[in-house]
Short mmCIF file of all heavy atoms in Angstrom, two decimals:
data_model
loop_
_atom_site.label_atom_id
_atom_site.label_comp_id
_atom_site.label_asym_id
_atom_site.label_seq_id
_atom_site.Cartn_x
_atom_site.Cartn_y
_atom_site.Cartn_z
N HIS X 253 112.73 129.31 114.30
CA HIS X 253 111.84 129.97 113.34
C HIS X 253 111.82 131.47 113.60
O HIS X 253 112.03 131.92 114.73
CB HIS X 253 110.39 129.44 113.49
CG HIS X 253 110.27 127.99 113.21
ND1 HIS X 253 110.32 127.05 114.21
CD2 HIS X 253 110.12 127.33 112.04
CE1 HIS X 253 110.19 125.85 113.66
NE2 HIS X 253 110.08 125.98 112.36
N PHE X 254 111.50 132.23 112.54
CA PHE X 254 111.35 133.68 112.70
C PHE X 254 110.24 133.99 113.70
O PHE X 254 110.34 134.91 114.49
CB PHE X 254 111.05 134.34 111.35
CG PHE X 254 112.29 134.56 110.53
CD1 PHE X 254 112.51 133.81 109.38
CD2 PHE X 254 113.24 135.50 110.90
CE1 PHE X 254 113.66 134.02 108.62
CE2 PHE X 254 114.38 135.71 110.15
CZ PHE X 254 114.60 134.97 109.01
N MET X 255 109.15 133.20 113.63
CA MET X 255 108.02 133.51 114.52
C MET X 255 108.46 133.46 115.98
O MET X 255 108.11 134.34 116.77
CB MET X 255 106.85 132.54 114.27
CG MET X 255 105.66 132.86 115.15
SD MET X 255 104.30 131.73 114.89
CE MET X 255 103.14 132.28 116.13
N LEU X 256 109.24 132.43 116.34
CA LEU X 256 109.67 132.31 117.73
C LEU X 256 110.59 133.47 118.09
O LEU X 256 110.47 134.07 119.16
CB LEU X 256 110.40 130.96 117.93
CG LEU X 256 110.66 130.60 119.39
CD1 LEU X 256 109.36 130.46 120.18
CD2 LEU X 256 111.47 129.31 119.50
N LYS X 257 111.48 133.79 117.18
CA LYS X 257 112.38 134.93 117.43
C LYS X 257 111.54 136.21 117.65
O LYS X 257 111.79 136.97 118.58
CB LYS X 257 113.30 135.12 116.22
CG LYS X 257 114.23 136.30 116.34
CD LYS X 257 115.00 136.50 115.05
CE LYS X 257 115.78 137.80 115.10
NZ LYS X 257 115.69 138.55 113.86
N GLU X 258 110.53 136.37 116.82
CA GLU X 258 109.73 137.61 116.90
C GLU X 258 108.88 137.64 118.17
O GLU X 258 108.66 138.71 118.75
CB GLU X 258 108.90 137.75 115.61
CG GLU X 258 109.84 138.14 114.45
CD GLU X 258 109.35 137.80 113.06
OE1 GLU X 258 108.19 137.37 112.91
OE2 GLU X 258 110.15 137.96 112.11
N ILE X 259 108.43 136.45 118.63
CA ILE X 259 107.70 136.41 119.91
C ILE X 259 108.63 136.89 121.03
O ILE X 259 108.25 137.71 121.87
CB ILE X 259 107.19 134.97 120.19
CG1 ILE X 259 106.06 134.60 119.22
CG2 ILE X 259 106.73 134.83 121.63
CD1 ILE X 259 105.62 133.13 119.30
N PHE X 260 109.86 136.39 121.00
CA PHE X 260 110.80 136.74 122.07
C PHE X 260 111.34 138.16 121.95
O PHE X 260 111.91 138.68 122.89
CB PHE X 260 111.94 135.71 122.13
CG PHE X 260 111.56 134.51 122.96
CD1 PHE X 260 110.89 133.44 122.39
CD2 PHE X 260 111.82 134.49 124.31
CE1 PHE X 260 110.50 132.35 123.16
CE2 PHE X 260 111.43 133.41 125.10
CZ PHE X 260 110.76 132.33 124.52
N GLU X 261 111.16 138.76 120.79
CA GLU X 261 111.64 140.15 120.62
C GLU X 261 110.68 141.17 121.23
O GLU X 261 110.99 142.37 121.26
CB GLU X 261 111.77 140.47 119.12
CG GLU X 261 113.08 140.01 118.52
CD GLU X 261 113.12 140.24 117.01
OE1 GLU X 261 112.08 140.55 116.40
OE2 GLU X 261 114.20 140.11 116.46
N GLN X 262 109.51 140.72 121.70
CA GLN X 262 108.48 141.70 122.06
C GLN X 262 108.84 142.67 123.19
O GLN X 262 108.48 143.85 123.09
CB GLN X 262 107.14 141.00 122.31
CG GLN X 262 106.59 140.53 120.96
CD GLN X 262 105.34 139.69 121.04
OE1 GLN X 262 104.26 140.14 120.76
NE2 GLN X 262 105.51 138.45 121.44
N PRO X 263 109.59 142.23 124.20
CA PRO X 263 109.97 143.26 125.18
C PRO X 263 110.75 144.40 124.51
O PRO X 263 110.50 145.58 124.76
CB PRO X 263 110.86 142.49 126.16
CG PRO X 263 110.40 141.07 126.05
CD PRO X 263 110.01 140.88 124.61
N ARG X 264 111.62 144.02 123.58
CA ARG X 264 112.42 145.02 122.88
C ARG X 264 111.56 145.86 121.93
O ARG X 264 111.65 147.09 121.90
CB ARG X 264 113.55 144.33 122.10
CG ARG X 264 114.64 145.24 121.69
CD ARG X 264 114.94 145.43 120.21
NE ARG X 264 114.36 144.58 119.21
CZ ARG X 264 113.52 145.02 118.28
NH1 ARG X 264 113.13 146.27 118.24
NH2 ARG X 264 113.03 144.19 117.37
N SER X 265 110.71 145.17 121.16
CA SER X 265 109.94 145.92 120.16
C SER X 265 108.94 146.88 120.82
O SER X 265 108.66 147.95 120.28
CB SER X 265 109.24 144.97 119.18
OG SER X 265 108.45 144.05 119.86
N ILE X 266 108.44 146.50 122.00
CA ILE X 266 107.52 147.41 122.70
C ILE X 266 108.31 148.59 123.29
O ILE X 266 107.88 149.74 123.19
CB ILE X 266 106.70 146.65 123.76
CG1 ILE X 266 105.76 145.68 123.05
CG2 ILE X 266 105.92 147.62 124.66
CD1 ILE X 266 104.91 144.84 123.95
N ARG X 267 109.48 148.27 123.85
CA ARG X 267 110.32 149.39 124.36
C ARG X 267 110.65 150.35 123.23
O ARG X 267 110.57 151.57 123.37
CB ARG X 267 111.64 148.84 124.94
CG ARG X 267 111.48 148.33 126.35
CD ARG X 267 112.81 148.07 127.04
NE ARG X 267 112.57 147.37 128.28
CZ ARG X 267 112.77 146.06 128.47
NH1 ARG X 267 113.26 145.32 127.50
NH2 ARG X 267 112.49 145.50 129.63
N ASP X 268 111.01 149.77 122.06
CA ASP X 268 111.36 150.64 120.92
C ASP X 268 110.16 151.48 120.48
O ASP X 268 110.31 152.62 120.07
CB ASP X 268 111.85 149.79 119.73
CG ASP X 268 113.26 149.28 119.95
OD1 ASP X 268 113.90 149.70 120.93
OD2 ASP X 268 113.72 148.45 119.15
N SER X 269 108.97 150.89 120.56
CA SER X 269 107.78 151.62 120.14
C SER X 269 107.41 152.72 121.13
O SER X 269 106.71 153.67 120.79
CB SER X 269 106.60 150.66 119.95
OG SER X 269 106.91 149.75 118.91
N MET X 270 107.88 152.57 122.39
CA MET X 270 107.58 153.59 123.41
C MET X 270 108.70 154.63 123.52
O MET X 270 108.49 155.71 124.08
CB MET X 270 107.38 152.92 124.78
CG MET X 270 106.18 152.00 124.81
SD MET X 270 105.62 151.49 126.46
CE MET X 270 107.02 150.73 127.18
N ARG X 271 109.89 154.26 123.00
CA ARG X 271 111.06 155.13 123.17
C ARG X 271 110.81 156.53 122.60
O ARG X 271 110.35 156.69 121.48
CB ARG X 271 112.28 154.49 122.50
CG ARG X 271 113.54 155.30 122.74
CD ARG X 271 114.80 154.53 122.45
NE ARG X 271 114.94 153.38 123.33
CZ ARG X 271 114.98 152.12 122.92
NH1 ARG X 271 114.92 151.85 121.65
NH2 ARG X 271 115.09 151.13 123.78
N GLY X 272 111.12 157.52 123.44
CA GLY X 272 110.95 158.92 123.00
C GLY X 272 109.50 159.36 123.00
O GLY X 272 109.20 160.52 122.68
N ARG X 273 108.60 158.45 123.36
CA ARG X 273 107.18 158.80 123.34
C ARG X 273 106.55 158.75 124.73
O ARG X 273 105.52 159.35 124.97
CB ARG X 273 106.42 157.81 122.43
CG ARG X 273 106.81 157.94 120.96
CD ARG X 273 106.38 156.76 120.15
NE ARG X 273 106.54 157.02 118.73
CZ ARG X 273 106.43 156.10 117.79
NH1 ARG X 273 106.18 154.83 118.11
NH2 ARG X 273 106.57 156.42 116.52
N LEU X 274 107.19 157.99 125.62
CA LEU X 274 106.66 157.84 126.98
C LEU X 274 107.77 158.09 127.99
O LEU X 274 108.84 157.47 127.91
CB LEU X 274 106.11 156.41 127.15
CG LEU X 274 105.70 156.01 128.57
CD1 LEU X 274 104.49 156.80 129.04
CD2 LEU X 274 105.38 154.50 128.64
N ASN X 275 107.50 159.01 128.91
CA ASN X 275 108.42 159.20 130.02
C ASN X 275 107.56 159.37 131.27
O ASN X 275 107.01 160.45 131.53
CB ASN X 275 109.30 160.44 129.76
CG ASN X 275 110.37 160.60 130.84
OD1 ASN X 275 110.16 160.23 131.99
ND2 ASN X 275 111.50 161.14 130.45
N ALA X 276 107.41 158.27 132.01
CA ALA X 276 106.46 158.28 133.14
C ALA X 276 106.93 159.23 134.23
O ALA X 276 106.11 159.96 134.81
CB ALA X 276 106.30 156.86 133.67
N ASP X 277 108.24 159.26 134.50
CA ASP X 277 108.72 160.12 135.59
C ASP X 277 108.40 161.58 135.30
O ASP X 277 108.04 162.34 136.19
CB ASP X 277 110.24 159.96 135.76
CG ASP X 277 110.56 158.62 136.41
OD1 ASP X 277 109.65 158.04 137.04
OD2 ASP X 277 111.70 158.12 136.25
N LYS X 278 108.53 161.96 134.05
CA LYS X 278 108.27 163.36 133.71
C LYS X 278 106.80 163.60 133.33
O LYS X 278 106.41 164.72 132.99
CB LYS X 278 109.16 163.79 132.54
CG LYS X 278 110.63 163.84 132.93
CD LYS X 278 111.44 164.48 131.83
CE LYS X 278 112.87 164.64 132.29
NZ LYS X 278 113.82 164.71 131.20
N GLY X 279 106.01 162.52 133.29
CA GLY X 279 104.60 162.65 132.94
C GLY X 279 104.41 163.08 131.49
O GLY X 279 103.59 163.94 131.18
N ILE X 280 105.18 162.45 130.60
CA ILE X 280 105.08 162.84 129.18
C ILE X 280 104.62 161.66 128.34
O ILE X 280 105.19 160.56 128.42
CB ILE X 280 106.44 163.34 128.64
CG1 ILE X 280 106.87 164.62 129.36
CG2 ILE X 280 106.39 163.58 127.13
CD1 ILE X 280 108.27 165.09 129.02
N VAL X 281 103.60 161.89 127.54
CA VAL X 281 103.24 160.98 126.46
C VAL X 281 103.15 161.84 125.21
O VAL X 281 102.41 162.84 125.20
CB VAL X 281 101.87 160.30 126.68
CG1 VAL X 281 101.52 159.43 125.49
CG2 VAL X 281 101.88 159.46 127.93
N SER X 282 103.93 161.52 124.19
CA SER X 282 103.82 162.32 122.97
C SER X 282 104.04 161.43 121.76
O SER X 282 104.89 160.55 121.76
CB SER X 282 104.86 163.44 122.98
OG SER X 282 106.15 162.90 122.83
N LEU X 283 103.23 161.67 120.75
CA LEU X 283 103.39 160.95 119.48
C LEU X 283 103.66 162.02 118.43
O LEU X 283 102.72 162.63 117.89
CB LEU X 283 102.13 160.14 119.14
CG LEU X 283 101.93 158.86 119.97
CD1 LEU X 283 100.54 158.29 119.78
CD2 LEU X 283 102.97 157.81 119.64
N GLY X 284 104.95 162.27 118.20
CA GLY X 284 105.36 163.35 117.32
C GLY X 284 104.67 163.33 115.96
O GLY X 284 104.21 164.36 115.47
N GLY X 285 104.53 162.14 115.40
CA GLY X 285 103.98 161.99 114.05
C GLY X 285 102.56 162.51 113.91
O GLY X 285 102.14 162.92 112.82
N ILE X 286 101.81 162.51 115.03
CA ILE X 286 100.41 162.96 114.91
C ILE X 286 100.14 164.20 115.76
O ILE X 286 98.98 164.59 115.94
CB ILE X 286 99.42 161.83 115.26
CG1 ILE X 286 99.66 161.30 116.67
CG2 ILE X 286 99.48 160.71 114.23
CD1 ILE X 286 98.49 160.50 117.20
N ALA X 287 101.22 164.81 116.26
CA ALA X 287 101.05 165.97 117.16
C ALA X 287 100.16 167.06 116.55
O ALA X 287 99.32 167.63 117.23
CB ALA X 287 102.42 166.53 117.53
N ASP X 288 100.34 167.27 115.24
CA ASP X 288 99.56 168.34 114.60
C ASP X 288 98.08 167.97 114.46
O ASP X 288 97.27 168.82 114.07
CB ASP X 288 100.10 168.61 113.18
CG ASP X 288 101.48 169.22 113.24
OD1 ASP X 288 101.87 169.67 114.34
OD2 ASP X 288 102.18 169.23 112.21
N TYR X 289 97.76 166.73 114.71
CA TYR X 289 96.37 166.28 114.52
C TYR X 289 95.65 165.99 115.84
O TYR X 289 94.54 165.49 115.85
CB TYR X 289 96.34 165.03 113.62
CG TYR X 289 96.68 165.39 112.18
CD1 TYR X 289 98.01 165.52 111.78
CD2 TYR X 289 95.68 165.65 111.26
CE1 TYR X 289 98.33 165.89 110.49
CE2 TYR X 289 95.99 166.02 109.96
CZ TYR X 289 97.31 166.14 109.59
OH TYR X 289 97.61 166.50 108.31
N GLU X 290 96.30 166.34 116.96
CA GLU X 290 95.69 166.05 118.26
C GLU X 290 94.35 166.74 118.44
O GLU X 290 93.37 166.13 118.92
CB GLU X 290 96.65 166.44 119.38
CG GLU X 290 97.76 165.43 119.56
CD GLU X 290 98.81 165.83 120.58
OE1 GLU X 290 98.76 166.98 121.07
OE2 GLU X 290 99.66 165.00 120.88
N GLN X 291 94.29 168.01 118.06
CA GLN X 291 93.03 168.73 118.24
C GLN X 291 91.93 168.14 117.36
O GLN X 291 90.78 168.02 117.75
CB GLN X 291 93.20 170.23 117.93
CG GLN X 291 93.79 171.02 119.09
CD GLN X 291 93.12 170.73 120.43
OE1 GLN X 291 91.88 170.68 120.55
NE2 GLN X 291 93.93 170.50 121.46
N LYS X 292 92.33 167.73 116.18
CA LYS X 292 91.39 167.10 115.24
C LYS X 292 90.83 165.82 115.90
O LYS X 292 89.63 165.55 115.85
CB LYS X 292 92.16 166.77 113.96
CG LYS X 292 91.33 166.28 112.84
CD LYS X 292 90.92 167.40 111.90
CE LYS X 292 89.73 166.92 111.10
NZ LYS X 292 89.19 167.87 110.21
N LEU X 293 91.72 165.06 116.53
CA LEU X 293 91.29 163.82 117.19
C LEU X 293 90.37 164.13 118.38
O LEU X 293 89.32 163.50 118.56
CB LEU X 293 92.52 163.05 117.69
CG LEU X 293 93.22 162.16 116.66
CD1 LEU X 293 94.64 161.85 117.09
CD2 LEU X 293 92.45 160.86 116.43
N VAL X 294 90.77 165.11 119.16
CA VAL X 294 89.98 165.46 120.34
C VAL X 294 88.58 165.91 119.94
O VAL X 294 87.59 165.59 120.59
CB VAL X 294 90.73 166.57 121.13
CG1 VAL X 294 89.81 167.24 122.15
CG2 VAL X 294 91.95 166.00 121.83
N ASN X 295 88.51 166.64 118.83
CA ASN X 295 87.21 167.17 118.39
C ASN X 295 86.47 166.23 117.45
O ASN X 295 85.37 166.56 116.98
CB ASN X 295 87.39 168.52 117.69
CG ASN X 295 87.99 169.54 118.63
OD1 ASN X 295 87.71 169.51 119.82
ND2 ASN X 295 88.83 170.44 118.10
N ALA X 296 87.08 165.10 117.14
CA ALA X 296 86.46 164.19 116.15
C ALA X 296 85.09 163.73 116.62
O ALA X 296 84.88 163.46 117.80
CB ALA X 296 87.36 162.99 115.93
N LYS X 297 84.16 163.69 115.65
CA LYS X 297 82.83 163.17 115.97
C LYS X 297 82.97 161.69 116.36
O LYS X 297 82.33 161.18 117.23
CB LYS X 297 81.94 163.32 114.72
CG LYS X 297 80.52 163.66 115.06
CD LYS X 297 79.75 164.03 113.81
CE LYS X 297 78.77 162.93 113.49
NZ LYS X 297 78.72 162.49 112.15
N ARG X 298 83.85 161.05 115.65
CA ARG X 298 84.18 159.65 115.97
C ARG X 298 85.48 159.29 115.26
O ARG X 298 85.89 159.95 114.30
CB ARG X 298 83.07 158.69 115.54
CG ARG X 298 82.92 158.69 114.07
CD ARG X 298 81.80 157.85 113.56
NE ARG X 298 81.69 158.18 112.15
CZ ARG X 298 81.18 157.42 111.23
NH1 ARG X 298 80.66 156.26 111.57
NH2 ARG X 298 81.15 157.79 109.98
N ILE X 299 86.06 158.23 115.76
CA ILE X 299 87.26 157.68 115.13
C ILE X 299 86.85 156.38 114.46
O ILE X 299 86.13 155.56 115.06
CB ILE X 299 88.37 157.43 116.17
CG1 ILE X 299 88.89 158.76 116.74
CG2 ILE X 299 89.52 156.62 115.57
CD1 ILE X 299 89.86 158.61 117.91
N ILE X 300 87.27 156.21 113.22
CA ILE X 300 87.00 154.94 112.54
C ILE X 300 88.34 154.25 112.34
O ILE X 300 89.26 154.82 111.73
CB ILE X 300 86.32 155.17 111.16
CG1 ILE X 300 85.06 156.01 111.32
CG2 ILE X 300 86.02 153.83 110.49
CD1 ILE X 300 84.46 156.48 109.99
N ILE X 301 88.46 153.04 112.87
CA ILE X 301 89.71 152.29 112.68
C ILE X 301 89.48 151.28 111.57
O ILE X 301 88.50 150.52 111.60
CB ILE X 301 90.13 151.58 113.99
CG1 ILE X 301 90.44 152.63 115.07
CG2 ILE X 301 91.34 150.68 113.75
CD1 ILE X 301 90.85 152.06 116.43
N ILE X 302 90.37 151.30 110.58
CA ILE X 302 90.24 150.32 109.48
C ILE X 302 91.51 149.48 109.42
O ILE X 302 92.62 149.99 109.54
CB ILE X 302 89.97 151.00 108.11
CG1 ILE X 302 90.93 152.16 107.86
CG2 ILE X 302 88.53 151.43 107.99
CD1 ILE X 302 90.80 152.78 106.48
N ALA X 303 91.32 148.19 109.22
CA ALA X 303 92.47 147.27 109.19
C ALA X 303 91.98 145.89 108.75
O ALA X 303 90.78 145.69 108.52
CB ALA X 303 93.10 147.19 110.59
N CYS X 304 92.91 144.97 108.64
CA CYS X 304 92.58 143.58 108.31
C CYS X 304 93.33 142.65 109.28
O CYS X 304 94.39 143.01 109.79
CB CYS X 304 93.06 143.22 106.90
SG CYS X 304 92.40 144.28 105.62
N GLY X 305 92.78 141.47 109.45
CA GLY X 305 93.46 140.40 110.19
C GLY X 305 93.89 140.82 111.58
O GLY X 305 93.12 141.42 112.35
N THR X 306 95.12 140.50 111.90
CA THR X 306 95.65 140.80 113.23
C THR X 306 95.60 142.30 113.52
O THR X 306 95.33 142.72 114.65
CB THR X 306 97.09 140.25 113.33
OG1 THR X 306 97.00 138.83 113.43
CG2 THR X 306 97.83 140.79 114.53
N SER X 307 95.85 143.11 112.50
CA SER X 307 95.82 144.57 112.72
C SER X 307 94.41 145.02 113.10
O SER X 307 94.23 145.97 113.87
CB SER X 307 96.28 145.30 111.45
OG SER X 307 97.61 144.95 111.16
N TRP X 308 93.41 144.32 112.56
CA TRP X 308 92.02 144.62 112.94
C TRP X 308 91.80 144.27 114.42
O TRP X 308 91.13 144.99 115.15
CB TRP X 308 91.08 143.82 112.03
CG TRP X 308 89.63 144.09 112.22
CD1 TRP X 308 88.92 145.16 111.77
CD2 TRP X 308 88.69 143.26 112.94
NE1 TRP X 308 87.60 145.05 112.15
CE2 TRP X 308 87.43 143.90 112.86
CE3 TRP X 308 88.78 142.05 113.61
CZ2 TRP X 308 86.28 143.36 113.44
CZ3 TRP X 308 87.65 141.51 114.20
CH2 TRP X 308 86.41 142.17 114.11
N HIS X 309 92.41 143.18 114.86
CA HIS X 309 92.29 142.82 116.29
C HIS X 309 92.93 143.91 117.17
O HIS X 309 92.40 144.26 118.22
CB HIS X 309 92.95 141.47 116.57
CG HIS X 309 92.27 140.33 115.86
ND1 HIS X 309 92.91 139.15 115.55
CD2 HIS X 309 91.00 140.21 115.40
CE1 HIS X 309 92.06 138.37 114.91
NE2 HIS X 309 90.90 138.98 114.81
N ALA X 310 94.08 144.42 116.70
CA ALA X 310 94.71 145.52 117.46
C ALA X 310 93.76 146.72 117.49
O ALA X 310 93.61 147.39 118.52
CB ALA X 310 96.04 145.90 116.81
N GLY X 311 93.08 146.95 116.36
CA GLY X 311 92.11 148.05 116.29
C GLY X 311 90.99 147.87 117.32
O GLY X 311 90.55 148.84 117.93
N LEU X 312 90.56 146.63 117.52
CA LEU X 312 89.50 146.38 118.52
C LEU X 312 89.99 146.73 119.92
O LEU X 312 89.24 147.30 120.72
CB LEU X 312 89.08 144.91 118.49
CG LEU X 312 88.16 144.44 117.36
CD1 LEU X 312 87.82 142.97 117.54
CD2 LEU X 312 86.88 145.27 117.29
N VAL X 313 91.25 146.36 120.22
CA VAL X 313 91.79 146.75 121.53
C VAL X 313 91.80 148.29 121.60
O VAL X 313 91.47 148.89 122.62
CB VAL X 313 93.21 146.17 121.75
CG1 VAL X 313 93.74 146.60 123.12
CG2 VAL X 313 93.23 144.65 121.65
N GLY X 314 92.16 148.91 120.47
CA GLY X 314 92.19 150.38 120.39
C GLY X 314 90.83 150.99 120.70
O GLY X 314 90.73 152.04 121.35
N GLU X 315 89.77 150.34 120.24
CA GLU X 315 88.41 150.83 120.51
C GLU X 315 88.16 150.89 122.02
O GLU X 315 87.68 151.89 122.56
CB GLU X 315 87.38 149.92 119.83
CG GLU X 315 85.94 150.33 120.11
CD GLU X 315 84.94 149.40 119.42
OE1 GLU X 315 85.29 148.24 119.12
OE2 GLU X 315 83.80 149.85 119.21
N TYR X 316 88.50 149.78 122.69
CA TYR X 316 88.31 149.76 124.15
C TYR X 316 89.13 150.87 124.82
O TYR X 316 88.65 151.58 125.69
CB TYR X 316 88.72 148.40 124.72
CG TYR X 316 87.69 147.31 124.49
CD1 TYR X 316 87.69 146.56 123.32
CD2 TYR X 316 86.71 147.04 125.44
CE1 TYR X 316 86.74 145.56 123.09
CE2 TYR X 316 85.76 146.04 125.23
CZ TYR X 316 85.78 145.31 124.05
OH TYR X 316 84.84 144.34 123.84
N LEU X 317 90.38 151.01 124.37
CA LEU X 317 91.28 151.99 124.99
C LEU X 317 90.80 153.43 124.77
O LEU X 317 90.71 154.22 125.72
CB LEU X 317 92.69 151.85 124.38
CG LEU X 317 93.49 150.63 124.80
CD1 LEU X 317 94.64 150.39 123.81
CD2 LEU X 317 94.05 150.81 126.21
N LEU X 318 90.48 153.76 123.52
CA LEU X 318 90.13 155.14 123.19
C LEU X 318 88.79 155.54 123.81
O LEU X 318 88.61 156.68 124.26
CB LEU X 318 90.10 155.33 121.67
CG LEU X 318 91.48 155.34 121.01
CD1 LEU X 318 91.38 155.01 119.52
CD2 LEU X 318 92.16 156.69 121.20
N GLU X 319 87.85 154.60 123.84
CA GLU X 319 86.55 154.94 124.43
C GLU X 319 86.68 155.04 125.95
O GLU X 319 86.14 155.94 126.59
CB GLU X 319 85.49 153.91 124.02
CG GLU X 319 85.19 153.99 122.52
CD GLU X 319 83.86 153.39 122.11
OE1 GLU X 319 83.27 152.64 122.92
OE2 GLU X 319 83.41 153.68 120.98
N ASP X 320 87.41 154.06 126.52
CA ASP X 320 87.56 154.00 127.96
C ASP X 320 88.33 155.20 128.50
O ASP X 320 87.88 155.89 129.42
CB ASP X 320 88.35 152.70 128.25
CG ASP X 320 88.25 152.25 129.68
OD1 ASP X 320 87.51 152.88 130.44
OD2 ASP X 320 88.94 151.27 130.05
N LEU X 321 89.49 155.48 127.91
CA LEU X 321 90.36 156.53 128.45
C LEU X 321 90.00 157.92 127.93
O LEU X 321 89.96 158.87 128.69
CB LEU X 321 91.83 156.23 128.11
CG LEU X 321 92.42 154.95 128.70
CD1 LEU X 321 93.85 154.77 128.23
CD2 LEU X 321 92.39 155.00 130.23
N ALA X 322 89.79 158.03 126.62
CA ALA X 322 89.64 159.37 126.03
C ALA X 322 88.18 159.73 125.75
O ALA X 322 87.90 160.86 125.37
CB ALA X 322 90.45 159.45 124.74
N ARG X 323 87.30 158.78 125.94
CA ARG X 323 85.85 159.00 125.74
C ARG X 323 85.54 159.54 124.34
O ARG X 323 84.72 160.44 124.16
CB ARG X 323 85.26 159.95 126.81
CG ARG X 323 85.59 159.61 128.25
CD ARG X 323 85.17 158.22 128.68
NE ARG X 323 83.74 157.95 128.63
CZ ARG X 323 83.23 156.72 128.44
NH1 ARG X 323 84.02 155.68 128.24
NH2 ARG X 323 81.93 156.54 128.44
#
Side-chain angles (χ1 to χ4, degrees):
H253 298 95
F254 279 110
M255 181 181 176
L256 191 61
K257 178 186 172 223
E258 287 156 8
I259 290 173
F260 275 87
E261 276 175 349
Q262 288 174 105
R264 197 241 348 116
S265 55
I266 293 178
R267 279 193 190 103
D268 285 352
S269 297
M270 296 195 303
R271 184 163 297 119
R273 293 164 169 169
L274 172 67
N275 186 328
D277 287 340
K278 292 190 175 156
I280 296 173
V281 177
S282 69
L283 285 168
I286 58 163
D288 292 346
Y289 288 82
E290 283 175 353
Q291 278 312 315
K292 188 95 199 177
L293 277 160
V294 165
N295 298 327
K297 216 170 109 226
R298 65 184 170 156
I299 292 173
I300 304 170
I301 297 179
I302 48 175
C304 303
T306 287
S307 298
W308 184 78
H309 296 155
L312 283 182
V313 180
E315 177 180 23
Y316 283 87
L317 287 162
L318 287 159
E319 293 201 344
D320 197 5
L321 297 177
R323 310 303 298 152

